Amino acid sequence: MTSLRKRLGTIATTSLIVLSASSALATPAWASPFVDIPSGHWVETSGVLDEALTEGIINGSTNENGDRIFRPDDSITRVEVASMLMNLAGVEDGAYGKVDTTSWADASSNVWYTSVLNWAEETGVLNGSNGYVRPNDKITREEIATMLGNFERTFGDSDAKGDVISLNSYEDGSQVSSWAQETVAWAVESEIMGATANLFPTSNATRAEATKMVVVLGNLDEQTAPAPTPEPEPEPAPEIKPEVKPDDELDGAVDSTPDNSTSLGEKVASIVLQYEGTPYLYGGENPEEGFDCSGLVMYVYAQLGYDLPHSSSAQRNYFKNAAAEGKGRFVTDEDDLQYGDVVFFSGHVGIYIGNGELFSARKPGVPASTGKLSWFGTMLGGGQLY
């Protein structure tokens, strides 16, 4: 689906988890058009809502006063998810008629979702059972993953099947229904779901959660397909080098002894802060053209002798593998982060610069800059190489 990928390429990997640089430590620059979004709700502060609106994935509805509402914490229905996916595919209004053409007994003509159901059946995005599609039923997280997998197989570049062994790392991984296991595993590997210790596969999804899942689906690219095998670490340097102060001149050398990770972190932070204000570019990996989040981290570490992959999930695997081999440190508690650590979130990566702040490449129109860790959602881990 090259044409759709090009259209969706403008939704950057970091688009889910950014705020405007014009108010680096305050509220987002955008103002929600919805009157029912609670102040500080993650769907707004994370940038999910902004991106979904920009890309036309959601529209919301109006209340009795004519105000726009989104109902972020209400359970979402099967047809509402189908409508989001239809919008993601860029299907124009009127492309599918208001007369029911489906084989489902509970589909109707001339209701708001008739054209959605026509599209969903034709594309195979939504499947029914025993002649019924249950358009207004609430939908579980594993059912959404299945719909997103159907979309990926029709419009995307993969078969949307993952390694079910990955489900074992979640406390409730055994609760994933057998028919959904491969697709849920793909969703985990693609960072569509799985940012916490539980998947909650059979729980009903909220409208906010479903919106994030669909936006992440729109971000999928060959870069964030199953993570490549990490490149080998550089050969260890002779021990032990003096601690490098933040204002020391960088010479590109890499401290390789376990007690020097802080020194390397100082180098990383010193380098990355030089690129404040660099434009965001999806797939970018140099300051001349711009950076995306993983491209910035990759570029910084290249100056220190490391060859990192170009994706946040692959970089996270790289750092975890290095720690397992005694060649790095990887933590999952924010309190254990050190200055200059690389910090990972769902679909995002940046450099910790202390005081609960992260420096990263953000999204189109927002240059590389600093934001609070809390803006970027659940931390998946962080650490440093030796």
Side-chain angles (χ1 to χ4, degrees), residues 17-28 45-46 272-273 276-277 296 334 337 341 343 345 348-363 366-377:
I17 40 183
V18 296
L19 295 178
S20 172
S22 64
S23 183
L25 298 177
T27 56
T45 61
S46 66
V272 78
L273 290 172
E276 184 172 10
L296 174 60
E334 182 179 322
L337 291 175
D341 278 357
V343 188
F345 304 86
H348 191 62
V349 61
I351 305 298
Y352 183 63
I353 57 171
N355 299 317
E357 296 182 347
L358 187 82
F359 185 92
S360 61
R362 295 189 172 192
K363 73 170 185 176
V366 178
S369 52
T370 300
K372 291 183 178 179
L373 285 173
S374 59
W375 289 355
F376 302 99

Side-chain angles (χ1 to χ4, degrees), residues 12 40 85 184 232 253-254 285 290 357:
L85 292 173
V184 170
V254 179
E285 54 188 31
E357 296 182 347

Side-chain angles (χ1 to χ4, degrees), residues 243-260:
E243 181 178 351
V244 180
K245 302 302 180 183
D247 57 349
D248 285 344
E249 180 179 355
L250 299 176
D251 60 6
V254 179
D255 294 332
S256 59
T257 52
D259 56 354
N260 277 340

Side-chain angles (χ1 to χ4, degrees), residues 37-299:
I37 304 293
S39 176
H41 195 291
W42 68 264
V43 76
E44 184 171 52
T45 61
S46 66
V48 170
L49 189 68
D50 177 68
E51 201 62 49
L53 283 165
T54 299
E55 295 303 318
I57 294 172
I58 61 171
N59 298 304
S61 57
T62 56
N63 61 17
E64 63 275 10
N65 298 321
D67 298 318
R68 291 183 70 181
I69 58 175
F70 179 60
R71 299 177 288 116
D73 298 317
D74 284 4
S75 296
I76 195 167
T77 66
R78 290 163 58 84
V79 75
E80 286 173 335
V81 175
S83 178
M84 288 184 181
L85 292 173
M86 184 175 172
N87 291 337
L88 179 65
V91 177
E92 297 180 359
D93 291 340
Y96 287 79
K98 289 292 186 181
V99 176
D100 174 41
T101 62
T102 71
S103 58
W104 296 315
D106 53 349
S108 303
S109 295
N110 299 315
V111 293
W112 75 264
Y113 56 73
T114 301
S115 61
V116 176
L117 291 182
N118 290 338
W119 171 83
E121 183 179 50
E122 180 175 311
T123 57
V125 166
L126 181 60
N127 297 314
S129 60
N130 299 319
Y132 292 85
V133 71
R134 299 176 290 113
N136 295 311
D137 279 9
K138 297 174 182 178
I139 187 170
T140 65
R141 291 166 58 82
E142 67 180 8
E143 288 174 329
I144 293 181
T146 299
M147 288 182 64
L148 270 56
N150 292 339
F151 183 97
E152 176 69 10
R153 282 185 284 272
T154 299
F155 297 101
D157 303 318
S158 78
D159 61 2
K161 294 181 178 180
D163 185 353
V164 297
I165 294 177
S166 64
L167 303 181
N168 295 336
S169 61
Y170 293 90
E171 295 178 2
D172 57 356
S174 62
Q175 297 178 22
V176 179
S177 302
S178 58
W179 52 265
Q181 288 178 352
E182 287 186 333
T183 306
V184 170
W186 160 80
V188 168
E189 292 169 2
S190 301
E191 300 182 349
I192 291 171
M193 59 190 301
T196 65
N198 290 277
L199 295 170
F200 306 106
T202 58
S203 297
N204 291 331
T206 66
R207 290 172 54 81
E209 291 170 341
T211 300
K212 179 178 179 179
M213 293 172 75
V214 173
V215 172
V216 175
L217 174 68
N219 292 334
L220 287 184
D221 187 82
E222 287 77 7
Q223 289 188 122
T224 54
T229 302
E231 296 292 332
E233 297 283 344
E235 290 295 322
E239 59 181 313
I240 261 177
K241 296 192 175 191
E243 181 178 351
V244 180
K245 302 302 180 183
D247 57 349
D248 285 344
E249 180 179 355
L250 299 176
D251 60 6
V254 179
D255 294 332
S256 59
T257 52
D259 56 354
N260 277 340
S261 65
T262 300
S263 181
L264 178 59
E266 290 172 347
K267 290 183 178 183
V268 169
S270 295
I271 295 175
V272 78
L273 290 172
Q274 298 175 24
Y275 301 109
E276 184 172 10
T278 301
Y280 183 91
L281 176 67
Y282 182 68
E285 54 188 31
N286 63 72
E288 289 76 24
E289 296 179 348
F291 294 111
D292 63 12
C293 64
S294 57
L296 174 60
V297 173
M298 182 178 72
Y299 186 82

